[in-house]
Amino acid sequence: MHDTIPSRSGALAVAREQGRAIVAVLPYHYPRALLRAHRCHPIEVWGPPFEPGDLGALHFQAYTCGIVVKATSFLVREGFDRVDAVLVPHGCDALQGMGSVLGDFVAPTPPVLTFYPPRRARPADRAYLVEEIRALGRRLAEVSGHTPDEADWAEALAAEEAADAALADLYHRRGRLDVDDRRFYEVVRAREYLTAEDFTALAASLPEHDGAPDADGDVGLLLSGIVAEPLDLFDRLRAMGARVVADDLATGWRRVYPPSTLADPYERLADRLLAAPPDPTLGAPLDARAGLLVERLRASGARGLLIYDVTFCEPELFAVPVLRERVTAAGFGVLHVEHELGTTLPNQTLTRIEAFVETLR
Amino acid sequence: MNLPTTLSDLRVHGEHLLQFQVLGSTALRVQRLRNERKLGALRMGPDDVLAPPPRALARMQELMSRHYLEGRYANGVRKVAWVTSGAPWEPLEALGFFPVYPENHAALCGVRRRAEANCEEAEAHGYSRDLCSYARTDIGTVLSGETPVGRLPRPDLLVCCNNICQTVLYWYEVLAHHFDCPLVVIDTPFLYGEAQEHQVAYVRRQFDEELVPTAERVAGRTLDERELVRVMLEARDASQLWREVLDRSRHRPAPMTAFDGFLLMGPIVNLRGRRATTEFYRDLLAELDARVERGVGAVAHERYRVAWDNLPIWYRLSKLSKLLAGRGVNVVASTYTYAWGELAPLMDPTDPLGSGARVYLHPILNRSTGHKLEAMRTMVEGFSLDGVILHSDRSCKPYSLGQIDQRDQIVDTLGVPALLLEADHNDPRAWSEEQSVNRIEAFIEMLETAAS
């Protein structure tokens, strides 16, 4: 097992050495293999939590999602100088505002690219998405100066799909892995910035238990939300006698894209994005999502659903009452807490989670 | 209209006929005539800061009251569609649907001071206070049944078009869960720049493959192309007239205020595609022309002319209007009211669905922050503005994000004062009277300084 997971800076250096243009990518659905085929490398920006929001607050009101405010701060402070382009996928009104403000007013030297995934998965959505991916490809070609040929596509699809398969395999092997939740999510989230090969190797290196896992007394939780920050959350859950047995996180299971058998690379990328697990930012019908969460609670052995939302996150907040209704009716506990994206966990939040875990024993 | 086949149907149709078509409509007509006489007789007194509202306001009240009255008796008589304010309404009008615009209903609750209670109802059911207050007002109404219009009809169909925000996607999912009826989503990619052909084709294809077939199935009839053309023609004419109405405020003094506009926009939002709506705006335009000719201004002593950006603050419309007018400030233009007029040139009645795809991609809320700044720049020049008030609306993030830079650009490049006013369009708990009035007073002082 890798003792130390390479940092974002380390991954950036590796990609530069490989001659790839660096693209800072905001959350969170985008066709990663498209970037690779165009000799670009994505480094995702999820805040970061430790970034002060001061420079972002020069552009966005106090009621704006912390990811957008901190990411803007980070890019203005140092990020723009380190990348060749910024990609803002349209996932919500806050990211829409960010993409627009960066392009129209901040106007940094690296170009700001945007990408709008459809909010349904109908034939019209599929046809549109294929063209939207082509349009993004044209912009990426301008950034890297490279237009992919057949060999580029084959190489990019093979590498990125292997990494996606490795991510899916992590979830598949989850119960057998001999790592704690914090380590598991550190590895899962390394997909946000490592090259496909490095991530695949990292994921494969996680050890499995020799015998049966020793977690009988723990309370299993299904963790839902955008991002589980700070990672201390997992340490605190362990101290409470709880563990995360499944998730519905944007930084986790929501990006376990199923494979596709389509031959055309653009159609293949669209096919995989449209088959993503139910996600409010992709317009997943609420009832279908709630039903699947109940199924996953049952299958994972979780006793409750912990909805852990970043403040001001409308896509997540709207769903809470219906999820609560459906999950409670199925006999599971539900707790919803909101958190400011940052490096510390308020004691009040921890107390609520601890009380929730106690009720599930 | 659904034909009655059972005794129960007959009773429902009978109620619709008696309560709405005969008694209610007659009473509202009489009320309108009285109101018109009253408004016509009003004269501005020496202490009045505002001229009497346009006489057409009485007609608008009749149209909207009649609409909500029919809503009480619509179920079982007409198919009901709940739609977002930017939804492609014309095919549904041509299919005979009765429209409910939850956003308009929520605004009505705001004006009548009923929004807070409905928001609290939604919050009691777990909906966060950080969610849009229109959505909370609407969901609260659905959960409690409390509404100032008596009763809202249950939807047979939900149509959600995200050309105004992504919020409506999640909001309408909640409605679909509650009402267990078909939901049509028209997804309109946000335009960071000019619309691309694949985006237009995408919207058109959703009309053809999703909206029309689902609406036909629910309506139980086929869309009549000639009827659709007729509806589109009415919609275009009314939108064009609405735009001309708003443009009349380029005159100095302006014959109406944006606050009048916030109320007078009801029919173009709710009743687009009907002859009565087109006639209403034609009459309103004639009345404003007469005011312009006589030199009648909406504000007694119009000294400063400003624009309003974003949604109104529904629960403070009257107070704000009087506060500003009392200091000689006329809010003569608004980016919000123009949203239902500026797309008229894109509407082509000979190609309703094809041109509709472009129309419904281009509302100001589906366009970039830079485009909105350009719209305000055009207003500053076209309306000879002295300043801009940007309502920083915590309930409407797509409208509000970008305003900090827009304000800075207005001040720096256009050289006019701009105020960022923190509030919420429908939740009065987000309004701080003292702080807001102080900020408005300071803004007026800046206008005075700039003028001197």
Side-chain angles (χ1 to χ4, degrees):
Chain A
M1 181 173 82
H2 292 63
D3 287 333
T4 308
I5 299 173
S7 66
R8 277 175 160 77
S9 297
L12 189 149
V14 168
R16 283 256 187 250
E17 279 170 21
Q18 293 173 344
R20 297 186 184 279
I22 304 299
V23 181
V25 183
L26 276 294
Y28 56 90
H29 289 291
Y30 62 100
R32 187 187 287 262
L34 180 79
L35 274 71
R36 185 174 176 112
H38 285 81
R39 293 192 185 155
C40 295
H41 180 69
I43 303 272
E44 295 181 16
V45 181
W46 289 82
F50 56 78
E51 176 71 29
D54 55 344
L55 298 180
L58 295 176
H59 301 280
F60 298 109
Q61 289 95 328
Y63 47 78
T64 310
C65 159
I67 294 174
V68 162
V69 174
K70 286 183 178 244
T72 303
S73 264
F74 171 74
L75 289 170
V76 170
R77 199 183 314 277
E78 59 177 301
F80 287 138
D81 295 336
R82 302 172 68 184
V83 301
D84 302 293
V86 178
L87 172 61
V88 188
H90 188 300
C92 61
D93 288 327
L95 284 164
Q96 169 184 302
M98 180 179 181
S100 198
V101 165
L102 289 186
D104 291 339
F105 299 121
V106 179
T109 305
V112 178
L113 317 181
T114 56
F115 172 68
Y116 185 97
R119 268 41 175 189
R120 281 291 189 266
R122 305 159 296 192
D125 304 296
R126 184 174 296 270
Y128 157 79
L129 181 55
V130 168
E131 294 309 313
E132 182 72 356
I133 293 172
R134 281 188 207 281
L136 177 59
R138 288 191 288 273
R139 297 297 312 275
L140 289 170
E142 292 168 12
V143 170
S144 68
H146 179 74
T147 302
D149 58 20
E150 210 169 302
D152 291 320
W153 273 114
E155 188 275 340
L157 289 169
E160 294 295 343
E161 289 178 6
D164 284 343
L167 178 65
D169 189 53
L170 275 182
Y171 276 92
H172 181 67
R173 293 191 295 137
R174 180 170 195 158
R176 303 197 302 272
L177 292 176
D178 190 14
V179 293
D180 61 18
D181 287 340
R182 181 177 183 128
R183 185 64 174 179
F184 179 82
Y185 282 102
E186 283 174 346
V187 172
V188 166
R189 296 199 56 192
R191 181 78 176 112
E192 294 167 11
Y193 57 91
L194 288 185
T195 62
E197 296 85 339
D198 287 347
F199 176 79
T200 304
L202 173 67
S205 74
L206 288 195
E208 294 187 10
H209 289 285
D210 290 334
D214 180 24
D216 288 346
D218 290 346
V219 171
L221 298 174
L222 195 156
L223 183 61
S224 178
I226 295 291
V227 56
E229 289 278 8
L231 288 170
D232 289 352
L233 172 70
F234 298 108
D235 301 333
R236 304 303 290 263
L237 285 173
R238 191 170 66 167
M240 294 172 197
R243 65 196 165 94
V244 177
V245 294
D247 78 64
D248 168 45
L249 292 166
T251 47
W253 185 74
R254 288 188 197 171
R255 292 201 293 181
V256 178
Y257 304 109
S260 168
T261 54
L262 297 179
D264 177 82
Y266 295 100
E267 288 181 7
R268 191 180 180 99
L269 292 173
D271 194 40
R272 297 195 67 213
L273 273 177
L274 291 174
D279 184 330
T281 70
L282 292 177
L286 180 52
D287 283 324
R289 183 176 167 228
L292 194 63
L293 273 180
V294 169
E295 278 178 31
R296 295 190 64 227
L297 278 159
R298 289 194 179 116
S300 64
R303 290 189 216 167
L305 174 67
L306 174 57
I307 305 173
Y308 187 72
D309 283 341
V310 183
T311 47
F312 304 118
C313 185
E314 283 208 337
E316 302 293 316
L317 289 174
F318 263 103
V320 170
V322 173
L323 293 185
R324 184 189 297 280
E325 174 192 314
R326 294 284 299 274
V327 168
T328 305
F332 296 96
V334 180
L335 176 68
H336 174 230
V337 291
E338 291 183 71
H339 67 102
E340 300 279 351
L341 188 70
T343 53
T344 56
L345 274 166
N347 194 52
Q348 192 183 6
T349 304
L350 288 170
T351 305
R352 290 187 62 203
I353 296 174
E354 191 164 18
F356 176 59
V357 170
E358 283 304 315
T359 64
L360 298 178
R361 282 196 194 285
Chain B
M1 184 171 283
N2 304 335
L3 292 175
T5 53
T6 65
L7 269 179
S8 166
D9 285 352
L10 269 176
R11 193 172 62 244
V12 169
H13 279 254
E15 274 197 354
H16 183 271
L17 178 70
L18 182 69
Q19 302 288 355
F20 164 61
Q21 293 192 49
V22 179
L23 297 177
S25 294
T26 306
L28 288 171
R29 195 173 308 123
V30 171
Q31 183 67 42
R32 188 248 300 170
L33 291 170
R34 279 189 192 148
N35 288 345
E36 278 179 344
R37 267 202 303 276
K38 255 190 229 168
L39 285 170
L42 283 178
R43 297 287 177 268
M44 193 185 266
D47 297 330
D48 289 337
V49 295
L50 285 162
R55 203 161 155 261
L57 190 65
R59 181 79 184 281
M60 190 280 292
Q61 286 166 337
E62 182 196 12
L63 283 172
M64 295 305 297
S65 299
R66 198 171 182 277
H67 172 65
Y68 278 111
L69 178 67
E70 182 175 11
R72 292 194 208 179
Y73 306 101
N75 282 134
V77 178
R78 295 177 66 182
K79 293 294 181 188
V80 175
W82 285 30
V83 298
T84 55
S85 63
W89 172 251
E90 290 76 14
L92 300 174
E93 176 74 21
L95 280 164
F97 277 89
F98 177 86
V100 171
Y101 285 81
E103 292 153 71
N104 177 265
H105 172 261
L108 186 69
C109 292
V111 172
R112 304 255 185 104
R113 311 290 169 87
R114 299 280 288 275
E116 186 174 342
N118 285 341
C119 284
E120 284 173 350
E121 180 73 23
E123 289 156 21
H125 282 79
Y127 291 93
S128 167
R129 200 165 156 173
D130 288 331
L131 296 174
C132 164
S133 54
Y134 271 173
R136 279 180 288 134
T137 303
D138 176 51
I139 292 169
T141 299
V142 166
L143 293 170
S144 69
E146 292 295 321
T147 163
V149 302
R151 192 179 84 85
L152 284 178
R154 277 180 69 87
D156 300 293
L157 176 68
L158 297 164
V159 179
C160 167
C161 184
N162 58 351
N163 56 5
I164 49 170
C165 60
Q166 299 302 307
T167 300
V168 292
L169 277 176
Y170 322 124
W171 172 1
Y172 275 62
E173 282 292 341
V174 171
L175 294 178
H177 169 78
H178 182 86
F179 289 114
D180 193 22
C181 70
L183 164 64
V184 171
V185 170
I186 302 297
D187 186 16
T188 49
F190 183 76
L191 302 182
Y192 293 95
E194 293 305 310
Q196 298 174 45
E197 278 313 307
H198 74 282
Q199 296 169 324
V200 180
Y202 176 42
V203 177
R204 170 63 199 262
R205 199 169 157 184
Q206 292 174 81
F207 289 174
D208 292 342
E209 296 179 4
E210 188 80 7
L211 177 66
V212 172
T214 309
E216 285 181 331
R217 181 167 49 79
V218 173
R221 58 196 258 202
T222 306
L223 180 63
D224 180 337
E225 293 289 336
R226 282 176 307 179
E227 179 63 3
L228 178 59
V229 167
R230 187 197 67 74
V231 168
M232 192 67 164
L233 196 60
E234 291 290 352
R236 186 199 62 183
D237 289 352
S239 300
Q240 179 59 38
L241 286 162
W242 175 237
R243 185 185 172 133
E244 288 179 44
V245 162
L246 298 174
D247 277 344
R248 288 300 184 268
S249 288
R250 289 171 190 264
H251 289 273
R252 190 188 287 267
M256 65 181 258
T257 73
F259 296 102
D260 296 322
F262 293 143
L263 298 175
L264 292 164
M265 67 192 284
I268 196 64
V269 177
N270 292 266
L271 307 169
R272 201 167 58 250
R274 297 186 187 176
R275 176 70 47 83
T277 302
T278 314
E279 285 170 359
F280 164 70
Y281 286 114
R282 192 167 285 125
D283 291 349
L284 173 61
L285 187 62
E287 187 180 354
L288 294 179
D289 279 339
R291 279 190 172 200
V292 168
E293 203 169 299
R294 298 200 316 271
V296 175
V299 167
H301 307 288
E302 181 183 296
R303 294 166 63 205
Y304 307 112
R305 298 160 60 83
V306 305
W308 181 276
D309 179 52
N310 214 325
L311 279 75
I313 302 169
W314 291 111
Y315 49 89
R316 278 293 183 281
L317 267 191
S318 173
K319 275 192 174 180
L320 273 177
S321 172
K322 285 176 186 157
L323 170 71
L324 290 163
R327 301 291 300 273
V329 179
N330 190 357
V331 182
V332 296
S334 146
T335 55
Y336 183 62
T337 47
Y338 258 85
W340 281 267
E342 63 194 352
L343 302 179
L346 291 179
M347 293 178 170
D348 178 1
T350 65
D351 181 18
L353 295 180
S355 65
R358 285 189 185 277
V359 169
Y360 288 101
L361 255 178
H362 281 85
I364 191 167
L365 266 171
N366 203 45
R367 304 196 67 182
S368 69
T369 49
H371 173 81
K372 191 149 76 70
L373 173 64
E374 197 51 42
M376 287 191 270
R377 191 194 306 274
T378 304
M379 278 184 178
V380 168
E381 288 161 4
F383 286 78
S384 310
L385 300 182
D386 303 296
V388 179
I389 297 174
L390 300 101
H391 168 204
S392 172
D393 182 353
R394 65 177 285 126
S395 261
C396 190
K397 293 176 179 70
Y399 221 138
S400 302
L401 302 193
Q403 283 179 320
I404 293 176
D405 286 288
Q406 288 159 354
R407 178 202 55 192
D408 293 349
Q409 293 276 322
I410 288 167
V411 172
D412 293 345
T413 65
L414 299 179
V416 298
L419 166 69
L420 201 60
L421 182 66
E422 295 284 344
D424 183 292
H425 60 253
N426 227 37
D427 190 341
R429 293 168 296 176
W431 173 259
S432 167
E433 182 77 23
E434 186 76 13
Q435 192 181 352
S436 303
V437 170
N438 281 344
R439 299 210 64 205
I440 290 169
E441 295 283 0
F443 172 66
I444 295 171
E445 282 173 22
M446 288 168 73
L447 293 176
E448 287 166 348
T449 304
S452 64

